[in-house]
């Protein structure tokens, strides 16, 4: 069963129970197989042969159909391949073959997810997920990109890659490809089919989905209207603190003379904030259901929240020990096994018109080219820009269509057939408005939406309710796949920017360094210009006043920097540029805790006259300091505590330097206190649709939800959201919320009504005291009464779970495919961002998915690490052979030049022309 791919909510309880029983039955069969696979009991001999059947051949030679010449695949002692060929097509054909050797199960599940075909592999339990994915139409858009938009060279590379994958598959049964197929073969007759170029293109849609920006914030603001006033909602979404946390680009604007962005220009004035009037208040019913649906869609890149993001920074040679630039990058994504990334080098033996690539870095299994890395001339890194590229629209729908500008418009419809392993096929009809697909059609609770939602006087009659449609830049065909190959070939900042112009979706911050001593930054992407509104709340789809202009923000007007005077550039999901910038990129930036810590560390060294080394960059990546601890601990230490056990815990904070090392008892206790401060001050006041499942409190019912004479009675209300997506998540938005009211001891947010035997709280210090008490007993239950045994790492653990069959089921199944746990340091919004959700618990839910430090002066002195390993085979030596080093903050040597690669090679496979 794939991770995060259970059916969306909205079905009846009986259907849910039936599906769960069906899943348990299938898992029981799979467990029996994996008992054999793992060598348990009498099946040991069969298990070993089954496992080994899928291991890749890494030495000797193999004939590969379609090659124009021999290709060498050189692997180091971590199984990382470097490919050498004489033509582009041979290079990418070999890349497809090699990635399929190591990762085809992962590739196959991904392509079924992106095309809404999980039911073909995993049965009827995936039909509703497939229905939603078909409604979004990722595969349809990818096909359009391939047919009509992408360059011919790009399509040739994609085709060569697909041919390489298929050459690997040729003549193999499922058990020859991976252990998972051996298990799956006992539950259905699924057989892998040929790979296609569109399978590769569609993966970019999944990447865009998980990096889509503020869509969840848009939903959450609307959900809050059932419990909170407009002023309270504003408190929980404060403005970005420009005066405290530096944006990426510190100056510049669109020049009135040229109409283009100029890093030296004075901005001509920011844009105003314009909200939607009255049309979106109180949309509990449809938006909570939509939120549940979104939670069920596979989040292969990670939870979409305020803490998640990435770090990258680049330092010019003026300030480094090497005399040339150093570039660091660590994207923060969901932990998964195998890791999302696959390390690889792609080398033309001699660069020419027919062979144009000499690049290495991190790739996606299932997609040709290098996503993040370097070539002979430049290095680049990515972080999520966070641009607001999605909008939800309320639609007045009827059997005849939807209302727009006073007229009824017909839906654009298409039929989709979902094939189901072991069952009958299902058909769905997808309906689209002029804004996009009607996502409310895919959920039972959304079929009749908005029955109680107050709307303005200008809204059309509610009737049976409103539908919800999604407008999203990724649902338009684009050229991001072209950009991957253009980045791989770029030689200088001009060609780098040209490649960035085509990296339309998802919108990423791109940092740059080159061998000539230059550093730079570019903000690319399709970013909409709204007719009205600011994208923070759903818009009225029936009004032509809303929607997007036909043209996006012109690329020439997007911010960039080149060799800034300060000598370094930091991107860590903070604001790109000040609020005086001419265009609105988003109203929901990350709040800059990580980025400012990196800025401060760099500035301190540079101002002190120190040169920054590769070791320094590596050390910075593991920086564990908690910005919110530095603000709160001085106040927490002043609180008078009468309970001696709680006072003993309070003493842990004495002398603590706010670093979150895995062996730190103080870090464990502080994070427990922080979690309970958030719960008391904010979490218990949020609507149930935003709180974690199992989080139950007594509250006054929402006005209008019951008889008038019972409105003063308290009712038990339990949270409904998955723990890793609940609020308050504790990200740096909540840092800003708390800091804004920290000195106002009598602020209303600090006041909590009595709950059961708990007395009411009337001030900040009373709330802090209660939080310290609650944390003491929570950690006692988790870690024991003896505080000398407490440590942050014991609370804050990482378990790597196979993203398909290893995420559900009995212990034996999980032991066979999963690994861990590991005790981690770091934490929410630290530079070492091992993220956790304060509303849901302390478990690690996102991580630096890889780390790299690129030495532009000498490529062979660069360093890299992956979260897991090169192999997707559960019992391979390279399944998790990098993880222990990753946990310790170590990096591997990264060979690039031919001599260095040769010295590190332990296995060589020659792919031969037939």
């Amino acid at each position: 069963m794939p991770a995060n791919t259970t059916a969306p909510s909205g079905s009846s309880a009986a259907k849910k129970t039936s599906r769960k029983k069906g899943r348990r039955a299938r898992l029981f069969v799979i467990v029996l197989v994996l008992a054999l696979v793992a060598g348990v009991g009498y099946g040991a001999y069969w298990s070993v042969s089954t496992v080994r059947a899928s291991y890749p051949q890494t030495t000797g030679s193999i004939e590969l159909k379609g090659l124009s010449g021999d290709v060498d695949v050189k692997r180091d002692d971590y199984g990382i391949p470097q490919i050498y060929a004489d033509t582009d097509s041979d290079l990418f054909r070999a890349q497809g073959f090699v990635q399929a050797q190591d990762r085809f199960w992962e590739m196959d599940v991904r392509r079924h997810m992106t095309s809404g075909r999980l039911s073909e592999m995993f049965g009827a339990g995936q039909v509703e997920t497939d229905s939603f994915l078909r409604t979004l139409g990722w595969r349809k858009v990818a096909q359009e990109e391939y047919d009509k938009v992408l360059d011919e060279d790009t399509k040739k590379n994609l085709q060569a890659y697909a041919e390489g994958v298929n050459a690997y598959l040729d003549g193999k049964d499922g058990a020859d490809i991976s252990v998972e197929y051996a298990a799956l073969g006992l539950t259905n007759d699924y057989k892998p089919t040929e790979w296609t170029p569109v399978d590769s293109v569609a993966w970019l849609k999944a990447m865009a989905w998980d990096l889509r920006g503020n869509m969840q914030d848009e939903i959450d603001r609307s959900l809050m209207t059932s419990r909170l006033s407009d002023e309270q909602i504003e408190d929980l979404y404060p403005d970005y603190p420009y005066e405290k946390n530096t944006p990426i680009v510190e100056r510049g604007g669109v020049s009135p003379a040229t109409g283009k962005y100029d890093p030296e220009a004075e901005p001509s004035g920011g844009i105003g904030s314009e909200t939607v009037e009255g049309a979106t208040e109180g949309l509990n019913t449809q938006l909570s259901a939509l939120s549940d649906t979104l939670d069920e869609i596979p989040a292969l890149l990670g939870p979409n929240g305020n803490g998640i993001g990435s770090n990258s920074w680049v330092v010019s040679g003026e300030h480094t020990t090497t005399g040339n630039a150093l570039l660091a990058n660590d994207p923060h994504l969901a932990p998964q096994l195998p890791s999302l990334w696959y390390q690889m080098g792609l080398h033309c033996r001699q660069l020419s018109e027919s062979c144009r690539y000499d690049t290495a870095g991190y790739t996606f299994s299932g997609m040709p080219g290098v996503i993040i890395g370097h070539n002979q001339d430049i290095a680049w890194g990515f972080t999520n820009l966070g641009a607001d590229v999605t909008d939800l629209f309320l639609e007045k729908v009827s059997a005849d269509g939807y209302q727009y500008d006073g007229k009824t418009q017909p839906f654009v419809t298409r039929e989709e057939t979902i094939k189901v392993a072991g069952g009958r096929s299902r058909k769905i009809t997808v309906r689209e408005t002029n804004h996009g697909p009607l996502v409310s059609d895919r959920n039972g609770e959304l079929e009749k939406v908005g029955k109680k939602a107050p709307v303005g006087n200008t809204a059309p009659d509610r009737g049976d309710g409103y539908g919800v449609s999604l407008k999203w830049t990724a649902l338009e065909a684009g050229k991001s796949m072209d950009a991957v190959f253009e980045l791989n070939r770029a030689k200088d900042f001009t060609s780098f920017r040209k490649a960035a112009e085509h990296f339309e979706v998802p919108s990423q911050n791109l940092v740059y360094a080159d061998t000539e001593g230059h550093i730079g930054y570019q903000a690319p992407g399709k970013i909409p210009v709204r007719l009205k509104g600011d994208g923070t709340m759903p818009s009225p789809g029936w009004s032509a006043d809303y929607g997007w202009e036909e043209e996006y923000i012109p690329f020439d007007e997007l911010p960039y920097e080149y060799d800034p005077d300060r000598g370094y550039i930091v991107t860590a999901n903070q604001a790109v540029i000040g609020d005086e910038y001419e265009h609105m990129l988003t109203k929901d930036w990350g709040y800059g805790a990580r980025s400012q810590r990196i800025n401060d560390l760099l500035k301190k060294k540079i101002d002190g006259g120190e040169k920054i080394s590769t070791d320094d960059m590596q050390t910075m990546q593991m920086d564990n300091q908690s910005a919110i601890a530095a603000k709160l601990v001085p106040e927490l230490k002043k609180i008078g505590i009468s309970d001696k056990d709680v006072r003993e815990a309070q003493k842990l904070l004495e002398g603590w330097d706010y670093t979150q090392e895995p062996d730190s008892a103080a870090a464990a206790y502080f994070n427990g206190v922080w979690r309970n401060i958030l719960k008391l001050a904010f979490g218990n006041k949020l609507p149930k649709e935003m709180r974690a499942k199992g989080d139950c409190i007594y509250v006054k019912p929402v006005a209008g939800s019951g008889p008038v004479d019972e409105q003063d009675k308290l009712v038990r209300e339990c949270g409904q959201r998955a723990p890793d997506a609940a609020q308050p998540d504790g990200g740096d938005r909540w840092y800003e919320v708390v800091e804004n009211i920290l000195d106002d001891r009598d602020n209303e947010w600090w006041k909590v009504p009595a709950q059961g035997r708990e007395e009411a709280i009337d001030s900040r210090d009373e709330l802090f005291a209660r939080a310290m008490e609650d944390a003491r007993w929570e950690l006692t239950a988790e870690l024991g009464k003896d505080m000398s045994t407490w440590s942050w790492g014991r609370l804050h653990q990482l378990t790597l779970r196979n993203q398909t069959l290893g995420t559900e089921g009995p212990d034996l199944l999980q032991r066979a495919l999963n690994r861990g746990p590991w005790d981690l340091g770091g934490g929410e919004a630290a530079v070492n961002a091992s993220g956790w959700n304060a509303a849901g618990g302390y478990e690690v839910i996102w991580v630096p998915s890889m780390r790299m430090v690129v030495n532009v002066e000498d490529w062979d002195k660069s360093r890299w690490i992956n979260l897991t390993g090169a192999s997707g085979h559960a019992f391979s030596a390279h399944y998790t052979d990098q993880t222990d080093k990753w946990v310790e903050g170590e990096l591997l040597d990264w060979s690039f030049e031919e001599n260095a690669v040769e010295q590190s090679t332990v296995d060589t496979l020659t792919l031969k022309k037939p």
Side-chain angles (χ1 to χ4, degrees), residues 612-633:
I612 296 168
S613 67
T614 305
D615 287 343
D616 292 331
M617 302 282 274
Q618 185 173 337
T619 299
M620 287 172 60
Q621 288 180 327
M622 296 299 293
D623 184 84
N624 285 331
Q625 187 175 80
S626 169
I628 192 61
K631 296 291 184 182
L632 290 183
V633 167

Side-chain angles (χ1 to χ4, degrees), residues 368-381:
V370 170
I371 304 301
I372 293 174
H374 71 83
N375 58 31
Q376 283 191 336
D377 301 296
I378 75 164
W380 66 94

Side-chain angles (χ1 to χ4, degrees), residues 876-889:
S876 164
H878 303 307
Y879 193 46
T880 56
D881 59 341
Q882 298 185 48
T883 307
D884 286 343
K885 290 181 179 297
W886 176 93
V887 169
E888 296 300 322

